[in-house]
Every structure is written in C-alpha cells, then in structure tokens.
Amino acid sequence: QVQLQESGGGLMQAGGSLTLSCAASGSVFRINAMGWYRQAPGKQRELVATITRDGTTNYADSVKGRFTISRDNAKNTVYLQMNSLKPEDTAVYYCNANGRAPWSGTDYWGQGTQVTVSS
C-alpha cells in the first residue's frame, strides 16, 4: 500500500501564496503520476494539477499561470506552489497518486488539507 501525507494548508488572504506538500511512503515503487485535487463545499472533487515521474505536468485551466506543481522523486514528495490565491481556491486539497503497471488503475489518496482564502 501507499500512504500519502499532506501538509501546508491554512488561511491566506486573496493575492497571497501557499505551498502544499505531499509525502508518499510505503510501496512508493507502485506510483506513476502524482497530483492534487480539490473539493469545495457542495461541489465535486476536481483536478488541480498532475505530474508524471518524468516531470510532465497538467493543470486545470482555473489555476494555470498561478499554481506550479513539482516533484522530488528522491524524497517521494510532490509540491503545489499556489500564488495569487483567490477566494474561489478555497477547498480541501487532496494529494493523489496513481499506480504504474501492474498496479494501473489504482488510486491512492491523502486525507486532505484545508485551504481557505479570504477576500
């Protein structure tokens, strides 16, 4: 199994910055891509950003140009640098890792970290 532990959430004013971290432990050799998702109250969980083992990134349109995802494979850690935060970025942010063959189709999730952006 893979365990994911997020950190770095909190309360920030609009326009500010936060950095989230997610450290993977356990059977980390199973991991392919890692990423961040978020879920606001009353809304479905949505993709924020993903990064593959070789560093290929993908972002939701709503965060392009403001958020940066990065990954340290040696530390089994993924980061999300969030700049120019907006109130609509308020959500619980979840770290995700998906499995590589033969564990393809397996998703691992962290417990989530709250990000609140005040106007």
Side-chain angles (χ1 to χ4, degrees):
Q1 283 294 334
V2 173
Q3 294 80 43
L4 302 174
Q5 181 65 56
E6 301 109 331
S7 61
L11 174 64
M12 178 58 64
Q13 288 189 330
S17 299
L18 279 174
T19 300
L20 305 182
S21 300
C22 172
S25 60
S27 301
V28 296
F29 56 87
R30 297 185 179 189
I31 296 174
N32 181 16
M34 298 184 73
W36 293 92
Y37 289 70
R38 67 186 181 187
Q39 188 167 18
K43 295 187 177 181
Q44 290 189 330
R45 190 173 298 188
E46 63 177 4
L47 179 145
V48 177
T50 61
I51 185 167
T52 64
R53 291 181 69 87
D54 64 1
T56 301
T57 58
N58 179 50
Y59 294 92
D61 287 343
S62 59
V63 307
K64 282 181 181 177
R66 300 189 298 121
F67 292 9
T68 302
I69 190 170
S70 60
R71 180 171 177 172
D72 186 333
N73 288 329
K75 295 182 178 180
N76 299 307
T77 300
V78 64
Y79 305 94
L80 185 68
Q81 174 68 43
M82 304 185 292
N83 298 327
S84 302
L85 284 162
K86 304 176 180 179
E88 50 264 44
D89 294 319
T90 295
V92 177
Y93 284 70
Y94 295 92
C95 180
N96 169 269
N98 62 56
R100 54 196 273 183
W103 303 279
S104 301
T106 301
D107 276 302
Y108 306 95
W109 295 94
Q111 82 286 354
T113 185
Q114 178 71 45
V115 172
T116 303
V117 184
S118 63
S119 56

